[in-house]
Amino acid sequence: MGITDETVAEVRAKADIVHVAQNFMQLKKVGRRYSGLCPFHGEKTPSFSVNAEDGLYYCFGCQAKGDTITLVRELQHLDFAEAIEWLAAQSGVQVRYTEKGQGEQRQRKTRLTEAVERAVDWYHDRLLTGRDAGPARAYLRHRGFDGDTVRRYRLGWAPDDWDQLCRHLDLPDKVLVDTGLGFINRARRQQDFFRGRVLFPIFDAQDRAIGFGGRIMPGQEGPKYRNTGQTPLYDKSKVLYGLNWAKSDVVKAEEVIVCEGYTDVIGFADVGVPRAVATCGTSLTEDHVRQLRRFARRLVLAFDPDAAGAAAAERVYAWEQAHELEVVVADLPPGLDPGDLARSDPDRLRAAVENPTPFLGFRVERALAGGRLDTPEGRARTAEAALDVIGEHPSDFVRDQYVMEVADRCRIDVERLRASLRPGGRPSVRVAEAPRRAAHSEDPEVSALRLAVDADHRSEMLPLLHEVLFADDRHAVAFRALRDAEGDLHRAIDDADPDTAELLARLAAEDDPGDPSDVRRILLRAQGQREVALLRRQLRGASDQTAAELNPILAWLLTRLQAVAPDARTGRDVEDQLLAWLAERAEERS
C-alpha cells in the first residue's frame, strides 16, 4: 500500500524536527537555531544546525541537509514510506494508505522484493535438498562453507535447466523481467536467468532481497561470476553485498572494510571481523562511498587499490575531502584474497585490517618496492615514480611527509625533490576542497537571500527584491527559485538544481539575518554604482549627441543613489522607482 499525500502533509506539519533530531543527538539552542554534533560525520565542534520554524537541518561541516523526513531516512536507513510511518508513530498521526500514485510504486517494489524473496527460498532449498546440487554442496564444503554458513547467508543452487524457477514461481512476465530472475526468450516463453551456478543472495541495507551473484562451477564454461542485471531493485553502482549484516558492527567500530567478493565478506565474518562489505562486480563508486559514510568515516580497502592507477587515486582523494573520510589499505599478502586467507591464516587476516596503511602510503611503498635502489640510475627512476604518485595528493603537508621518506630511501637531497613538486616542477593534481562554512558573509546578496529564506522575514523580504540586484549568477538563480516557489522554501529546494538547493538549505540553517530595509538599500546602491560605471564608460569618447543623452541619465541616477544612502530618510517609493529603472535597464540590454 502507498501512503496518501494528506498523511505526508500531516506528518510534515506535526513532526517537530527538534524533537525528532533529539532521538539521535543532543541539541542546544543558539539564537533562533538549534546546534549539535553532526550525526553524519565525526566532529568535536558542533556544526549541525536545525531550523525549527521551517523543519530543516544543515551541517556546515559535511553539507548534509534536508527536512525531518530526510533526517529519519538517513539515520534510520529507511525508504520514504517507512520514514513516514516512523514519524507518524512518533507524532500521533494515523497513516492512511492509497492504491494510486506513490502507493502504486511502493506496491510494485513490494511485489518485486517478494518475488526475489521467494526465489531466494527456492534456490536455497534446492541447494540443501536437490539431488543435482550434490556437486555444488561438495564445492562449498571444499571452500570451507559448512551447513551453518550456507544457512546463515541463504546460499542457493540454480539448476542447469531452462525454466525450473520460472515454472515454480509462476510470475507475470513483467515481474519476472523487472526482478532480473528471468527473461522472455525467442519462443515467447519464460526462461531462468541463472543456470548451473551457486547463488549468493544480495540484500539491501534493510535486509530485503534484491538480486543474486552467481558463481559458476569449476570446469564449466562461461564467466566466473554473473550478477543480476540492472533492475528497479538492483543497481550495482549502489549495492553493497553484506551491508545488511555488517552495518551494526560498522557503526560500533566506526570503520567499514570494503572487499571485492562475496566469499571475502563471509571470510571476514568467520574470523570475527563482521564489518566487511563487497562491491558487486564493479569498482567502488561515489554512491557506494556516500552510502557507507552514513555508517562510518573510515574505509579499509581489502583489495588491490593501485590497479586502476592515478584515476582511481584522484577519486579516493576527492572522496576523502568531500565526505571527510579516511581511506586506508589492508596489509594483505600478495596473491591472496581475504576469503582464502580466512581459511589458511585467520590471524594474518585479522592483523591485515588491524594495521592498515594510509592510501597514499600504500601507493608510495608500491612505487618504491617496484624500483631498483642499488644504483644511482635506479634510485633516480624510483624517486620519479614515487613523486608521480605523491604529486596526486591535494595536501601540501601530506605530500611533504612522503617526499622526505622518498629522499631517505632513494638517497636524494630532499630539497631537490621538493623543488620538483613546486610550480614549474612536477605538476600535482589538486582536488577541490569541499565547501565549508565561513563566518556569516558580509556579502549583501547572501544577506538578502538569508532574509528571503528566514521564516520571520521572507514575506517582507521577497517583494523587496528583484533578480537585477544579484550580480552573482548563483545568487540570482537562488532568488528565482524562491520567487517561482512563491516563498515556499521546501518547494524551492525540491525544484532547484543540487547546488542551488544546497545554498538555500545552508542559508536556512544560519541565524542573524539582518534588517530587510538595510540590505535592500545596500543592494540598490551596489547595482546603481555598476550602472554609474557603465554610463561613464559609455561617455568616454562619446559623440556630443550621445553625451547629451547620457549626462541627464547619469545625473538622475547619482541623485537617486544619494537618496538611498544608509543615512538618508527617504520613503520606500524612491527605492521602488530606482529598482524599476534598474530592472528596465537590464531588460533593455538583454
Side-chain angles (χ1 to χ4, degrees), residues 162-204:
W162 293 102
D163 61 356
Q164 287 198 40
L165 177 73
C166 290
R167 286 189 280 112
H168 173 79
L169 296 181
D170 191 24
L171 298 172
D173 288 354
K174 182 167 179 54
V175 173
L176 180 75
V177 172
D178 285 351
T179 56
L181 295 172
F183 58 95
I184 308 303
N185 62 23
R186 293 180 180 178
R188 306 304 302 164
R189 293 182 56 186
Q190 294 186 354
Q191 187 170 323
D192 295 350
F193 181 77
F194 294 103
R195 293 175 54 196
R197 290 178 180 269
V198 173
L199 296 183
F200 294 80
I202 300 169
F203 304 87
D204 65 14

Coordinates of all heavy atoms in Angstrom, one line a residue, residues 162-204:
W162 N 16.3 -25.0 -18.1 CA 15.8 -23.8 -18.8 C 14.9 -22.9 -17.9 O 15.0 -21.7 -17.9 CB 15.1 -24.2 -20.1 CG 16.0 -24.7 -21.1 CD1 16.1 -26.1 -21.4 CD2 16.9 -24.0 -21.9 NE1 17.0 -26.2 -22.4 CE2 17.5 -25.0 -22.8 CE3 17.2 -22.7 -22.1 CZ2 18.5 -24.6 -23.7 CZ3 18.2 -22.3 -23.0 CH2 18.8 -23.3 -23.8
D163 N 14.0 -23.6 -17.2 CA 12.9 -22.7 -16.7 C 12.3 -23.3 -15.4 O 11.1 -23.1 -15.1 CB 11.8 -22.6 -17.7 CG 11.1 -23.9 -18.1 OD1 11.6 -25.0 -17.6 OD2 10.2 -23.9 -18.8
Q164 N 13.1 -24.0 -14.6 CA 12.6 -24.6 -13.3 C 12.1 -23.5 -12.4 O 11.0 -23.7 -11.7 CB 13.6 -25.5 -12.7 CG 13.8 -26.8 -13.4 CD 14.5 -27.9 -12.6 OE1 14.2 -28.0 -11.4 NE2 15.4 -28.6 -13.2
L165 N 12.9 -22.5 -12.2 CA 12.5 -21.4 -11.3 C 11.2 -20.7 -11.8 O 10.3 -20.4 -11.1 CB 13.6 -20.4 -11.1 CG 13.2 -19.2 -10.3 CD1 13.1 -19.6 -8.8 CD2 14.2 -18.0 -10.4
C166 N 11.2 -20.4 -13.1 CA 10.0 -19.7 -13.7 C 8.7 -20.6 -13.5 O 7.7 -20.0 -13.1 CB 10.2 -19.5 -15.2 SG 11.5 -18.3 -15.6
R167 N 8.8 -21.9 -13.7 CA 7.6 -22.7 -13.5 C 7.2 -22.7 -12.0 O 6.0 -22.8 -11.7 CB 7.9 -24.1 -14.0 CG 7.9 -24.2 -15.6 CD 8.0 -25.6 -16.1 NE 9.3 -26.1 -16.1 CZ 9.7 -27.1 -15.3 NH1 8.8 -27.7 -14.5 NH2 10.9 -27.6 -15.3
H168 N 8.2 -22.7 -11.1 CA 7.8 -22.7 -9.7 C 7.2 -21.4 -9.3 O 6.2 -21.4 -8.6 CB 9.1 -23.0 -8.9 CG 8.8 -22.9 -7.4 ND1 8.2 -23.9 -6.7 CD2 9.1 -21.9 -6.5 CE1 8.1 -23.5 -5.4 NE2 8.7 -22.3 -5.3
L169 N 7.8 -20.3 -9.7 CA 7.3 -19.0 -9.2 C 6.0 -18.6 -9.9 O 5.2 -17.9 -9.3 CB 8.4 -17.9 -9.4 CG 9.7 -18.1 -8.6 CD1 10.6 -16.9 -8.9 CD2 9.4 -18.2 -7.1
D170 N 5.9 -18.9 -11.2 CA 4.7 -18.6 -12.0 C 4.4 -17.1 -11.9 O 3.3 -16.7 -11.5 CB 3.5 -19.4 -11.5 CG 2.3 -19.3 -12.4 OD1 2.5 -19.0 -13.6 OD2 1.1 -19.5 -11.9
L171 N 5.3 -16.3 -12.3 CA 5.2 -14.8 -12.2 C 4.7 -14.2 -13.5 O 5.0 -14.8 -14.6 CB 6.6 -14.2 -11.8 CG 7.2 -14.6 -10.5 CD1 8.6 -14.0 -10.4 CD2 6.4 -14.0 -9.3
P172 N 4.0 -13.1 -13.5 CA 3.7 -12.4 -14.7 C 5.0 -12.0 -15.4 O 6.1 -11.8 -14.8 CB 3.0 -11.1 -14.2 CG 2.5 -11.5 -12.9 CD 3.5 -12.4 -12.3
D173 N 5.0 -11.9 -16.7 CA 6.2 -11.7 -17.5 C 6.9 -10.4 -17.0 O 8.2 -10.4 -16.8 CB 5.9 -11.5 -19.0 CG 5.5 -12.8 -19.7 OD1 5.6 -13.8 -19.0 OD2 5.1 -12.7 -20.8
K174 N 6.2 -9.3 -16.7 CA 6.8 -8.1 -16.4 C 7.5 -8.2 -15.0 O 8.6 -7.7 -14.8 CB 5.8 -6.9 -16.3 CG 6.4 -5.6 -16.0 CD 5.5 -4.4 -16.2 CE 6.1 -3.1 -15.8 NZ 7.4 -2.9 -16.5
V175 N 6.9 -8.9 -14.1 CA 7.5 -9.1 -12.7 C 8.8 -9.9 -12.9 O 9.8 -9.6 -12.3 CB 6.5 -9.7 -11.7 CG1 7.2 -10.0 -10.4 CG2 5.4 -8.8 -11.5
L176 N 8.7 -10.9 -13.7 CA 9.9 -11.8 -13.9 C 11.1 -11.0 -14.5 O 12.2 -11.1 -14.0 CB 9.5 -12.9 -14.9 CG 10.7 -13.9 -15.2 CD1 10.9 -14.9 -14.0 CD2 10.4 -14.7 -16.4
V177 N 10.8 -10.2 -15.5 CA 11.8 -9.4 -16.1 C 12.3 -8.3 -15.2 O 13.5 -8.0 -15.0 CB 11.3 -8.8 -17.4 CG1 12.4 -7.8 -18.0 CG2 11.0 -9.9 -18.4
D178 N 11.4 -7.6 -14.5 CA 11.8 -6.5 -13.6 C 12.6 -6.9 -12.4 O 13.3 -6.1 -11.8 CB 10.5 -5.7 -13.2 CG 10.0 -4.8 -14.3 OD1 10.7 -4.7 -15.3 OD2 8.9 -4.3 -14.1
T179 N 12.5 -8.2 -12.0 CA 13.3 -8.7 -10.9 C 14.6 -9.2 -11.3 O 15.5 -9.4 -10.5 CB 12.6 -9.8 -10.2 OG1 12.3 -10.9 -11.1 CG2 11.3 -9.4 -9.5
G180 N 14.8 -9.4 -12.7 CA 16.0 -10.0 -13.2 C 16.1 -11.5 -13.0 O 17.2 -12.1 -13.3
L181 N 15.0 -12.1 -12.5 CA 15.1 -13.6 -12.3 C 15.0 -14.3 -13.6 O 15.4 -15.5 -13.6 CB 13.9 -14.0 -11.4 CG 13.9 -13.4 -9.9 CD1 12.7 -13.7 -9.2 CD2 15.1 -14.0 -9.2
G182 N 14.5 -13.7 -14.6 CA 14.3 -14.4 -15.9 C 14.1 -13.5 -17.0 O 14.1 -12.2 -16.9
F183 N 13.8 -14.0 -18.2 CA 13.6 -13.2 -19.4 C 12.6 -14.0 -20.3 O 12.3 -15.2 -20.1 CB 14.9 -12.8 -20.1 CG 15.7 -14.0 -20.5 CD1 15.6 -14.5 -21.8 CD2 16.6 -14.6 -19.6 CE1 16.4 -15.6 -22.2 CE2 17.3 -15.7 -20.0 CZ 17.2 -16.2 -21.3
I184 N 12.2 -13.3 -21.3 CA 11.3 -13.9 -22.3 C 12.2 -14.3 -23.5 O 12.7 -13.4 -24.2 CB 10.1 -13.0 -22.7 CG1 9.4 -12.4 -21.5 CG2 9.2 -13.7 -23.6 CD1 8.9 -13.5 -20.6
N185 N 12.2 -15.6 -23.9 CA 13.1 -16.0 -24.9 C 12.4 -15.8 -26.3 O 11.3 -15.3 -26.4 CB 13.5 -17.4 -24.7 CG 12.4 -18.4 -24.7 OD1 11.3 -18.2 -25.3 ND2 12.6 -19.6 -24.1
R186 N 13.1 -16.2 -27.4 CA 12.6 -16.0 -28.7 C 11.3 -16.8 -29.0 O 10.5 -16.4 -29.9 CB 13.6 -16.4 -29.7 CG 14.9 -15.6 -29.7 CD 15.9 -16.1 -30.8 NE 17.1 -15.2 -30.8 CZ 18.2 -15.5 -31.5 NH1 18.1 -16.5 -32.4 NH2 19.2 -14.7 -31.5
A187 N 11.1 -17.8 -28.2 CA 9.8 -18.6 -28.4 C 8.7 -18.0 -27.6 O 7.7 -18.6 -27.5 CB 10.1 -20.0 -28.0
R188 N 9.0 -16.8 -27.0 CA 8.0 -16.1 -26.2 C 7.7 -16.8 -24.9 O 6.5 -16.7 -24.4 CB 6.7 -15.7 -27.0 CG 6.9 -15.0 -28.2 CD 7.7 -13.7 -28.0 NE 7.0 -12.8 -27.1 CZ 7.6 -11.8 -26.5 NH1 8.8 -11.5 -26.7 NH2 6.9 -11.0 -25.6
R189 N 8.6 -17.6 -24.4 CA 8.4 -18.4 -23.2 C 9.4 -17.8 -22.1 O 10.4 -17.2 -22.4 CB 8.8 -19.8 -23.4 CG 7.8 -20.6 -24.3 CD 8.1 -22.0 -24.5 NE 8.2 -22.7 -23.2 CZ 8.6 -24.0 -23.0 NH1 9.0 -24.7 -24.0 NH2 8.6 -24.5 -21.8
Q190 N 9.0 -18.0 -20.9 CA 9.8 -17.5 -19.7 C 11.0 -18.5 -19.6 O 10.9 -19.7 -19.7 CB 9.0 -17.5 -18.4 CG 7.9 -16.5 -18.4 CD 7.2 -16.4 -17.0 OE1 7.5 -17.2 -16.2 NE2 6.3 -15.4 -16.9
Q191 N 12.2 -17.8 -19.3 CA 13.4 -18.6 -19.1 C 14.2 -18.1 -17.9 O 14.2 -16.9 -17.7 CB 14.2 -18.5 -20.4 CG 15.4 -19.4 -20.4 CD 16.1 -19.5 -21.8 OE1 15.4 -19.5 -22.8 NE2 17.4 -19.5 -21.8
D192 N 14.8 -19.0 -17.2 CA 15.6 -18.6 -16.0 C 16.8 -17.8 -16.4 O 17.5 -18.1 -17.4 CB 16.0 -19.8 -15.2 CG 14.8 -20.6 -14.6 OD1 13.7 -20.0 -14.6 OD2 15.1 -21.7 -14.1
F193 N 17.2 -16.8 -15.6 CA 18.4 -16.0 -15.9 C 19.6 -16.8 -15.4 O 20.7 -16.8 -16.0 CB 18.3 -14.7 -15.1 CG 19.5 -13.8 -15.3 CD1 19.6 -13.1 -16.5 CD2 20.5 -13.6 -14.4 CE1 20.7 -12.2 -16.7 CE2 21.6 -12.8 -14.6 CZ 21.7 -12.1 -15.8
F194 N 19.6 -17.5 -14.2 CA 20.7 -18.2 -13.7 C 20.5 -19.7 -13.9 O 19.5 -20.2 -13.7 CB 20.8 -18.0 -12.1 CG 21.2 -16.6 -11.7 CD1 20.2 -15.7 -11.3 CD2 22.5 -16.1 -11.9 CE1 20.5 -14.4 -10.9 CE2 22.8 -14.8 -11.5 CZ 21.8 -13.9 -11.0
R195 N 21.6 -20.3 -14.4 CA 21.6 -21.7 -14.7 C 23.0 -22.3 -14.3 O 24.0 -21.8 -14.6 CB 21.4 -22.0 -16.1 CG 20.0 -21.6 -16.6 CD 19.8 -21.8 -18.1 NE 20.2 -23.2 -18.5 CZ 20.5 -23.5 -19.8 NH1 20.5 -22.7 -20.7 NH2 20.8 -24.8 -20.0
G196 N 22.9 -23.4 -13.5 CA 24.2 -24.1 -13.2 C 25.1 -23.3 -12.3 O 26.4 -23.4 -12.6
R197 N 24.6 -22.5 -11.4 CA 25.5 -21.7 -10.6 C 25.1 -21.8 -9.1 O 24.0 -21.9 -8.8 CB 25.4 -20.2 -11.0 CG 26.0 -20.0 -12.4 CD 25.8 -18.5 -12.9 NE 26.5 -18.3 -14.2 CZ 27.7 -17.9 -14.4 NH1 28.5 -17.7 -13.3 NH2 28.2 -17.8 -15.6
V198 N 26.2 -21.6 -8.3 CA 26.0 -21.4 -6.8 C 25.6 -19.9 -6.7 O 26.2 -19.0 -7.2 CB 27.3 -21.7 -6.0 CG1 27.1 -21.3 -4.6 CG2 27.6 -23.2 -6.1
L199 N 24.5 -19.7 -5.9 CA 24.0 -18.3 -5.8 C 24.2 -17.7 -4.4 O 24.0 -18.4 -3.4 CB 22.5 -18.3 -6.1 CG 22.1 -18.7 -7.6 CD1 20.6 -18.6 -7.8 CD2 22.9 -17.9 -8.6
F200 N 24.6 -16.5 -4.4 CA 24.8 -15.7 -3.2 C 23.7 -14.6 -3.3 O 23.7 -13.6 -4.1 CB 26.1 -15.0 -3.2 CG 27.3 -15.9 -3.0 CD1 27.8 -16.6 -4.1 CD2 27.9 -16.1 -1.8 CE1 28.9 -17.5 -4.0 CE2 29.0 -17.0 -1.7 CZ 29.4 -17.7 -2.8
P201 N 22.6 -14.8 -2.5 CA 21.6 -13.7 -2.4 C 22.1 -12.4 -2.0 O 22.9 -12.3 -1.1 CB 20.5 -14.3 -1.5 CG 20.8 -15.7 -1.3 CD 22.3 -15.9 -1.5
I202 N 21.6 -11.3 -2.6 CA 22.1 -10.0 -2.3 C 20.9 -9.2 -1.7 O 19.8 -9.2 -2.2 CB 22.6 -9.2 -3.5 CG1 23.8 -10.0 -4.1 CG2 23.0 -7.8 -3.2 CD1 24.2 -9.5 -5.4
F203 N 21.1 -8.6 -0.5 CA 20.1 -7.9 0.2 C 20.5 -6.4 0.3 O 21.6 -6.0 0.3 CB 19.9 -8.5 1.6 CG 19.6 -9.9 1.6 CD1 20.7 -10.9 1.6 CD2 18.3 -10.4 1.6 CE1 20.4 -12.2 1.6 CE2 18.0 -11.8 1.6 CZ 19.1 -12.7 1.6
D204 N 19.4 -5.5 0.4 CA 19.7 -4.1 0.6 C 20.0 -3.9 2.1 O 20.0 -4.8 2.9 CB 18.6 -3.2 0.1 CG 17.3 -3.4 0.8 OD1 17.2 -4.0 1.9 OD2 16.3 -2.9 0.3

